[in-house]
Amino acid sequence: MWNTTLCYIEREGQYLMLHRVKKKNDINQDKWVGVGGKFEDKESPEECLLREVKEETGLTLTRYAYRGLVTFVSDRWETEYMHLFTADGFEGEMIECNEGDLEWVDKSAVQDLPIWTGDKIFLDLLTREVPFFSLKLSYEGDTLVQAVLNGREISTEI
């Protein structure tokens, strides 16, 4: 199992999205996601968040919130614990990302992009300002087969 961070950076009704088109053997190939990545040894979620955002975007976060823990279970890859953040304060100049193309996307249009089905669930929770949550998403291949929010099964349709 591994730990990762994912952050949705907000600006004027938009999220900074990463279109994953540059890495080989990428689980997220051709998908649109927030920014983040794997923990390094001895990092806290916040330390990983700040490092990954800086590496992928060139931006330094100045205001962010820890929003939830998402557990990904799959028949194809190792279990992942993703620490989910949003941020609305940052400084610096954006750089080119070596993992994909960065683009500001209207929040209302994100659900229409090629994203994981489970991402639609936690993006909806973020939009509704749901307090800190635990979400377990179980996949068979690319198909979401189960979603459990705070210990209770919910619909996988959104």
Side-chain angles (χ1 to χ4, degrees):
M1 98 182 98
W2 72 82
N3 281 282
T4 63
T5 57
L6 185 69
C7 184
Y8 288 90
I9 302 172
E10 305 174 49
R11 176 191 81 177
E12 300 170 2
Q14 299 179 314
Y15 281 135
L16 182 59
M17 300 295 292
L18 177 59
H19 188 199
R20 300 289 294 251
V21 292
K22 295 183 181 177
K23 282 178 72 173
K24 293 185 190 276
N25 303 318
D26 188 352
I27 290 172
N28 294 305
Q29 183 67 40
D30 296 323
K31 300 277 195 228
W32 290 78
V33 297
V35 295
K38 292 181 183 174
F39 278 45
E40 291 183 354
D41 187 38
K42 299 180 178 58
E43 276 187 324
S44 69
E46 295 80 7
E47 289 166 332
C48 179
L49 167 75
L50 295 171
R51 178 186 52 76
E52 285 285 347
V53 167
K54 182 73 170 178
E55 288 176 4
E56 291 184 0
T57 70
L59 302 175
T60 301
L61 297 182
T62 58
R63 188 172 53 223
Y64 55 88
Y66 193 174
R67 302 293 300 277
L69 179 63
V70 181
T71 304
F72 290 102
V73 177
S74 169
D75 62 349
R76 286 192 188 164
W77 59 83
E78 197 174 345
T79 299
E80 174 184 353
Y81 295 105
M82 183 187 75
H83 304 262
L84 183 62
F85 291 83
T86 53
D88 61 4
F90 56 89
E91 57 190 23
E93 297 294 320
M94 267 201 341
I95 60 171
E96 186 173 325
C97 180
N98 65 359
E99 297 182 8
D101 299 322
L102 292 166
E103 186 177 327
W104 290 102
V105 177
D106 289 338
K107 288 182 183 181
S108 61
V110 170
Q111 297 269 0
D112 298 326
L113 296 172
I115 62 176
W116 292 100
T117 304
D119 291 15
K120 293 180 180 189
I121 295 171
F122 63 71
L123 284 164
D124 179 63
L125 296 170
L126 296 178
T127 299
R128 292 188 292 121
E129 296 290 330
V130 171
F132 191 90
F133 57 86
S134 173
L135 178 64
K136 181 180 180 183
L137 301 171
S138 299
Y139 283 88
E140 290 178 3
D142 290 347
T143 303
L144 181 65
V145 295
Q146 184 184 43
V148 179
L149 177 62
N150 297 326
R152 294 184 175 203
E153 191 158 351
I154 61 171
S155 173
T156 57
E157 302 295 321
I158 188 164

